[in-house]
Amino acid sequence: MFTIIAGPCVIESKEICFEVAQVLKSLQEKHKNVRFVFKSSFDKANRSSIDSFRGKGLEYGLAVLKDVKDTFNLPVLTDIHESYQAKPVAEVVDILQIPAFLCRQTDLLLAAAETGREINVKKGQFLAPWDTKNIVEKLKFGGATKIYLTERGTTFGYNNLVVDFRSLPIMRQYAPVIYDATHSVQLPGGLGKVSGGQREFAYPLAKAAISVGVDGLFFETHPDPDKALSDGPNQIPLKEFPNIVENLLKLREFILENGI
């Protein structure tokens, strides 16, 4: 089933998460053949600066994610950064996510795989697409059976990311592929102590990914991105998100119906 993963970058409050989840639920009710997954992080352990907001921690974050799951009947996804987090997080969420910078950490991958949950691995900004084969093999060795690989751009330094769309069909040889439209337009560390972003390019790049062929899309969206506590410049304003999703699903349907 085609999957759309979306939510605010970090869990700032239950109210913001519920506001986003309500939009996802409305889209889910309209598009029964698409799986909508709520995403938000309880901790952002790789922020640019020691002064940056990381989140409210594991206990608070899992409580909010459980409330989202129970209230809206949506699957939920969050990141883990340490092996010890895998088990308690798996008791709440449906999909464990491995951050890009940690995508080759064997112990973390194996701990995630042992939970039996679905696993989404962000391809490292430093990694060639064919190297993700080794990640998938590690996860399968650990017992994982449902694995996604997510493309989020490649860094060549100087606070920028570039998406090589050849990576999508290459990675799909190993596992279903999600295209991360909003992290692909991030400018890592581009504002000095925080990352910048070019959210205006997220939609056209998502259209390109749909055209090339993917199994899902990933977006960070927030009611007021300019006031978001993490990754605001690359997040999609929540009021714009439904229209973007509708157009992308229409494009995908057109491609499938016409065998393009």
Side-chain angles (χ1 to χ4, degrees), residues 236-248:
I236 300 294
L238 184 61
K239 65 181 180 181
E240 299 176 12
F241 182 67
N243 188 53
I244 287 174
V245 169
E246 295 287 354
N247 288 338
L248 289 168

Side-chain angles (χ1 to χ4, degrees), residues 6 18 36 47 82-83 89 102-103 117-118 143 157 175 178 195 251:
F18 268 44
F36 286 85
R47 296 300 306 276
E82 305 282 352
S83 299
V89 173
L102 301 176
C103 69
R117 289 298 191 184
E118 299 176 48
I178 308 292
S195 293
L251 174 61

Side-chain angles (χ1 to χ4, degrees), residues 110-183:
L110 293 179
E114 288 171 4
T115 67
R117 289 298 191 184
E118 299 176 48
I119 312 293
N120 181 41
V121 182
K122 293 286 194 77
K123 179 178 76 65
Q125 301 92 326
F126 50 86
L127 209 63
W130 42 85
D131 290 333
T132 59
K133 180 180 180 181
N134 297 324
I135 295 171
V136 172
E137 288 178 351
K138 287 181 182 180
L139 288 169
K140 289 182 176 179
F141 179 84
T145 58
K146 186 67 173 180
I147 302 165
Y148 302 96
L149 295 170
T150 293
E151 172 59 74
R152 49 95 16 100
T154 300
T155 182
F156 293 91
Y158 300 94
N159 309 116
N160 206 356
L161 295 169
V162 176
V163 178
D164 180 357
F165 283 95
R166 295 177 299 178
S167 70
L168 303 178
I170 291 171
M171 292 162 61
R172 285 183 97 189
Q173 298 175 75
Y174 318 127
V177 168
I178 308 292
Y179 176 66
D180 184 343
T182 46
H183 282 101

Side-chain angles (χ1 to χ4, degrees), residues 34-208:
V34 178
R35 186 189 191 199
F36 286 85
V37 178
F38 177 86
K39 175 269 169 191
S40 198
S41 301
F42 61 83
D43 181 24
K44 303 297 291 187
N46 59 354
R47 296 300 306 276
S48 299
S49 169
I50 192 66
D51 301 319
S52 296
F53 177 76
R54 287 181 51 170
K56 295 185 177 181
L58 180 66
E59 184 176 350
Y60 178 86
L62 289 182
V64 171
L65 290 168
K66 186 177 187 303
D67 284 346
V68 168
K69 182 175 180 177
D70 292 345
T71 302
F72 297 97
N73 194 28
L74 289 170
V76 295
L77 172 154
T78 199
D79 315 83
I80 58 171
H81 296 85
E82 305 282 352
S83 299
Y84 76 85
Q85 295 173 342
K87 187 175 180 180
V89 173
E91 292 175 358
V92 174
V93 308
D94 302 274
I95 306 175
L96 297 173
Q97 182 164 278
I98 308 299
F101 286 123
L102 301 176
C103 69
R104 289 174 51 170
Q105 295 296 104
T106 301
D107 290 343
L108 183 61
L109 292 168
L110 293 179
E114 288 171 4
T115 67
R117 289 298 191 184
E118 299 176 48
I119 312 293
N120 181 41
V121 182
K122 293 286 194 77
K123 179 178 76 65
Q125 301 92 326
F126 50 86
L127 209 63
W130 42 85
D131 290 333
T132 59
K133 180 180 180 181
N134 297 324
I135 295 171
V136 172
E137 288 178 351
K138 287 181 182 180
L139 288 169
K140 289 182 176 179
F141 179 84
T145 58
K146 186 67 173 180
I147 302 165
Y148 302 96
L149 295 170
T150 293
E151 172 59 74
R152 49 95 16 100
T154 300
T155 182
F156 293 91
Y158 300 94
N159 309 116
N160 206 356
L161 295 169
V162 176
V163 178
D164 180 357
F165 283 95
R166 295 177 299 178
S167 70
L168 303 178
I170 291 171
M171 292 162 61
R172 285 183 97 189
Q173 298 175 75
Y174 318 127
V177 168
I178 308 292
Y179 176 66
D180 184 343
T182 46
H183 282 101
S184 292
V185 299
Q186 188 181 59
L187 301 175
L191 298 178
K193 284 195 170 185
V194 296
S195 293
Q198 298 173 311
R199 69 171 71 103
E200 66 271 23
F201 295 120
Y203 176 49
L205 289 179
K207 288 194 291 184

